[in-house]
Amino acid sequence: MKNLSDVIVGRNPVKEALKSQRPINKVLVAKGKLSGSLAEICSLARQNGIPVQEVDRTALEKISAEAVHQGVAAYAAAKEYVELEDILARAGEQEPFIIMLDEITDPHNLGAIIRTADAAGVHGVVVTRRRSALLTPVVAKSSAGAVEYVPVARVTNLVQSIKILQENGIWVAGADMEGDKVYWEAPLSGPIAIVIGGEGKGLGRLVKEKCDFLVRLPMQGKISSLNASVATALLAYEVVRQRSSG
């Protein structure tokens, strides 16, 4: 069950949260015809790029506990998201170092990745709006507080975001078991974005095709892939190593 401190319930509370630009992960509305204030809430959410999901009333009752949900609830983010441009601006005169996540769904993995990003000097993390873990209290706790220091951008289209980075002179390396080079043999010392695939599925086809090159982590055991946060840590610190020795 979700932490109730992370849930906003009721039409007026949800509407005011949206109007105040409070960071919201997702809005849930009861299935059925949307009219009046519910329709207004859905419109406000979509205008702000916030996913809206229709659910059964029993689901709303479960997350609302004793509060009256009036057919709507929202999950507040533990930290405000930024834009991709904000991450680029944060790099300033430094060579950008960005981690991009292709549908990482486990909040503990996302938190661990953000913690690694902070330790390795990453300028920001990019996640997708849909089919991805969001900035919940679980993520904040798993990051050991690093979520307060590492900007996280939430984008609609990861392929388009990769293109924007490439247009800004940033090389994009995807982690894939079919990569041409072992990761420590790849050129990772310049302006770089590392793309990590989701648990169990890896990089999507279009994301993989858009990367400038793919790198692999050698696997000698029976398991064919590493945990996403572990793979991120290995690649992030290879960037650190190459930059420090270059």
Side-chain angles (χ1 to χ4, degrees):
M1 186 173 179
K2 293 285 184 178
N3 187 330
L4 294 183
S5 65
D6 191 35
V7 179
I8 305 167
V9 298
R11 299 187 184 192
N12 282 336
V14 172
K15 183 167 68 173
E16 292 305 318
L18 291 168
K19 289 170 65 176
S20 69
Q21 299 295 304
R22 180 174 175 179
I24 300 292
N25 282 330
K26 180 167 61 174
V27 171
L28 305 181
V29 294
K31 290 180 179 178
K33 184 178 180 180
L34 298 177
S35 59
S37 57
L38 281 182
E40 182 184 357
I41 287 169
C42 291
S43 177
L44 276 171
R46 292 181 175 120
Q47 286 173 24
N48 288 283
I50 299 168
V52 176
Q53 181 181 349
E54 291 191 18
V55 298
D56 292 328
R57 283 187 171 272
T58 53
L60 288 172
E61 290 164 3
K62 185 180 295 185
I63 65 171
S64 302
E66 297 179 0
V68 180
H69 59 72
Q70 298 176 301
V72 64
Y75 288 134
K79 187 77 167 61
E80 188 171 2
Y81 296 96
V82 303
E83 300 296 328
L84 183 60
E85 291 75 14
D86 296 323
I87 292 177
L88 291 173
R90 185 173 188 246
E93 297 300 316
Q94 298 176 320
E95 292 185 323
F97 181 10
I98 298 169
I99 291 173
M100 309 183 83
L101 306 178
D102 186 12
E103 299 183 6
I104 296 292
T105 59
D106 187 328
H108 295 93
N109 269 342
L110 177 56
I113 287 169
I114 292 172
R115 184 175 183 176
T116 292
D118 177 60
V122 172
H123 293 111
V125 174
V126 179
V127 301
T128 54
R129 289 187 182 275
R130 298 188 181 277
R131 294 183 290 278
S132 292
L134 300 171
L135 294 182
T136 63
V138 172
V139 170
K141 184 176 181 180
S142 299
S143 77
V147 71
E148 298 296 332
Y149 306 104
V150 179
V152 178
R154 186 167 58 160
V155 300
T156 301
N157 189 315
L158 199 65
V159 172
Q160 183 61 32
S161 298
I162 289 173
K163 181 180 179 182
I164 291 171
L165 295 185
Q166 290 168 331
E167 290 171 349
N168 280 272
I170 299 170
W171 290 91
V172 179
D176 187 82
M177 59 191 303
E178 298 177 356
D180 293 332
K181 292 185 177 181
V182 176
Y183 72 97
W184 60 71
E185 297 175 345
L188 303 176
S189 60
I192 192 77
I194 295 171
V195 192
I196 304 293
E199 303 92 348
K201 74 174 190 64
L203 298 178
R205 179 180 60 84
L206 294 178
V207 170
K208 191 185 301 188
E209 291 175 356
K210 190 62 180 174
C211 291
D212 291 304
F213 56 92
L214 301 175
V215 299
R216 70 181 188 275
L217 286 78
M219 304 293 297
Q220 299 182 26
K222 303 295 184 183
I223 307 301
S224 61
S225 64
L226 284 174
N227 172 277
S229 65
V230 174
T232 302
L234 288 170
L235 289 170
Y237 272 92
E238 179 60 20
V239 173
V240 173
R241 187 191 71 80
Q242 290 191 21
R243 286 185 169 186
S244 63
S245 62

